[in-house]
Amino acid sequence: MLHGANIDQNNEAAAPLRRFELVQNELYSSRVKAFEVYVRESHPRQEAGANLTAGLESTTWKLAGNFTAQNQRGVQYFRLEDKGWVRYLLVRWRTHHGSEPVCAINGIAVYGTAPG
């Protein structure tokens, strides 16, 4: 089941993020429903050392949005709260539509303002 799964994403350069894009095109799998997006500028290991799990559970992640995706195929867009300069993204999948044990995610993208 998807409940409680995490994704940690590293962006090439820090930037203010504005939009999160979720792509789900599969016909025969469940789809993500509720999820949260957290952001930060420093790497999680910077404060937790070798214990990456502790870094993922750190309170220094800033909540950029709590979202509910529709039960539909295709691309869905979600507006992120401005949390300043961001380099790392943590997505926590909370619930899903459907009864299949797998949620196929075809793509994730984030959009923001380029530095400079």
Side-chain angles (χ1 to χ4, degrees), residues 67-80:
F67 304 105
T68 302
Q70 298 299 312
N71 188 14
Q72 65 187 35
R73 291 177 59 208
V75 180
Q76 295 183 58
Y77 301 98
F78 304 91
R79 189 169 197 274
L80 298 170

Side-chain angles (χ1 to χ4, degrees), residues 1-59:
M1 185 168 180
L2 183 68
H3 184 71
N6 299 324
I7 292 179
D8 181 20
Q9 175 65 41
N10 175 11
N11 299 317
E12 288 293 320
L17 299 182
R18 303 287 184 243
R19 188 172 73 175
F20 180 87
E21 177 183 288
L22 176 65
V23 183
Q24 301 179 100
N25 289 320
E26 300 300 319
L27 287 172
Y28 302 107
S29 65
S30 293
R31 293 189 181 93
V32 171
K33 184 176 181 181
F35 66 98
E36 302 165 340
V37 177
Y38 293 85
V39 296
R40 66 185 289 161
E41 187 172 357
S42 63
H43 192 282
R45 286 189 197 258
Q46 197 166 12
E47 72 184 55
N51 187 353
L52 181 58
T53 303
L56 294 176
E57 296 300 324
S58 167
T59 58

